[in-house]
Amino acid sequence: MEPTESTLALREGRMLADSIEVDVSMVVPAYNKEHRIEAFLDRLVDFAEASPLSCEIIVVADGCTDGTCRVVEEYSRGNSAVTLLTSPTRLGKGGGLKLGFRNCRGSTILYIDADGSYDPDQIPRLLMALDSADCAVGSRALPGAVLDPMPPRRRIIAGELFSRMVKLLLLEKIMDTQAGFKAFKREVIDSTLGEVSTNGFDIDVQLLVRAKNKGFNLVEVPVTYRFVGGSSVNVLRDGLSMGLSVLSFWLRLKLERLMLRKPDA
């Protein structure tokens, strides 16, 4: 897609939209979702139009090699609530989310996977949870969660191993850190984003740990998850990379605490 003036400006992180705040910013990371993104945007827009809250939808399409950018650009021309952010290079899930977060205008910031794994009809569950918490974490592991259809067994095993590692090292009480469906009060993102170092799939872990360590309240919300094939995630490669990144992050936290305790020379 030939970049438009608005696309280039957003790449540079400048806000072109009016500075008036909205109630909810919905960030949608979309990598090579040409054949899925339009239908998903229809569902998000339907939710936004039916909601009493003012909403914006920010699609982050980074390094796409298909027609995702073209589809979203054309869609946004007919719906002012939809904004496209692009990057000529692949930023990774974490990098894409950080770009989206920095351009949000909402008092509540939510992100949701673009592949339709989570129906937008579930968004009110997360927003209601924020009445008594600062972070609402969509969970596929809590009682009441529904997985239909179930993901392949290898993904379940890899997810369970990763979850056990995270619970052992960092977040004992969170059952599922990796669902691509979470909501935050704006102050959580404002307070933690500068301390999130990863651009990978483990951004969820770093966001939640930083939020918890700053005293924000986290609550898990059971959700309905529909496995959709065609993900860019490689279970072996990305699983190993995420595990190493989490271990590195744990060591970094240990070092940060040690430096805080170190008496002045």
Side-chain angles (χ1 to χ4, degrees):
M1 180 191 76
E2 188 68 24
T4 64
E5 180 180 354
S6 61
T7 302
L8 287 172
L10 286 166
R11 283 178 183 172
E12 296 170 4
R14 300 199 304 268
M15 284 301 301
L16 293 187
D18 294 337
S19 59
I20 300 172
E21 291 189 354
V22 297
D23 294 316
V24 182
S25 295
M26 295 182 281
V27 179
V28 184
Y31 176 66
N32 286 353
K33 293 292 189 290
E34 176 183 6
H35 301 296
R36 293 177 177 171
I37 191 64
E38 184 172 0
F40 187 67
L41 286 176
D42 282 341
R43 289 153 65 189
L44 273 182
V45 169
D46 286 346
F47 165 80
E49 291 179 345
S51 174
L53 303 173
S54 57
C55 302
E56 66 174 353
I57 300 166
I58 299 176
V59 180
V60 185
D62 61 301
C64 292
T65 57
D66 65 356
T68 300
C69 294
R70 172 185 53 78
V71 172
V72 178
E73 181 78 13
E74 292 175 357
Y75 195 101
S76 67
R77 291 180 188 140
N79 195 302
S80 60
V82 178
T83 298
L84 170 66
L85 304 185
T86 69
S87 167
T89 57
R90 181 78 170 115
L91 300 177
K93 176 187 174 181
L97 282 175
K98 287 191 281 188
L99 175 61
F101 291 157
R102 291 187 182 110
N103 284 276
C104 286
R105 296 179 295 136
S107 56
T108 295
I109 297 175
L110 175 148
Y111 67 89
I112 184 169
D113 284 346
D115 60 6
S117 298
Y118 308 95
D119 196 290
D121 287 348
Q122 301 182 80
I123 291 174
R125 296 188 195 176
L126 299 191
L127 300 183
M128 289 176 62
L130 293 181
D131 289 341
S132 57
D134 301 303
C135 314
V137 182
S139 177
R140 299 160 296 181
L142 285 182
V146 177
L147 282 69
D148 185 20
M150 294 281 289
R153 184 169 179 79
R154 65 182 181 279
R155 289 179 68 98
I156 294 175
I157 294 172
E160 179 62 25
L161 291 174
F162 183 79
S163 178
R164 290 187 181 187
M165 180 181 184
V166 172
K167 288 172 68 176
L168 177 65
L169 298 178
L170 296 166
L171 290 165
E172 180 182 358
K173 296 183 179 181
I174 300 297
M175 301 292 293
D176 180 13
T177 61
Q178 296 310 112
F181 190 33
K182 296 178 177 67
F184 306 86
K185 291 180 179 176
R186 184 183 186 90
E187 54 264 34
V188 176
I189 298 299
D190 287 342
S191 298
T192 61
L193 195 59
E195 298 178 3
V196 173
S197 59
T198 184
N199 288 326
F201 289 106
D202 56 313
I203 185 174
D204 307 78
V205 174
Q206 291 201 17
L207 274 174
L208 296 178
V209 170
R210 293 297 189 185
K212 174 179 173 290
N213 289 349
K214 289 179 179 292
F216 291 110
N217 183 29
L218 283 58
V219 63
E220 282 190 277
V221 180
V223 296
T224 296
Y225 168 79
R226 181 173 70 93
F227 174 74
V228 179
S231 170
S232 62
V233 177
N234 181 290
V235 173
L236 181 58
R237 181 196 64 217
D238 293 321
L240 179 60
S241 175
M242 289 166 63
L244 292 173
S245 184
V246 165
L247 182 59
S248 175
F249 179 57
W250 174 73
L251 291 171
R252 186 182 308 119
L253 291 176
K254 291 287 187 183
L255 180 60
E256 289 175 6
R257 290 168 185 152
L258 180 63
M259 295 301 291
L260 286 173
R261 294 172 186 167
K262 185 177 180 180
D264 294 334

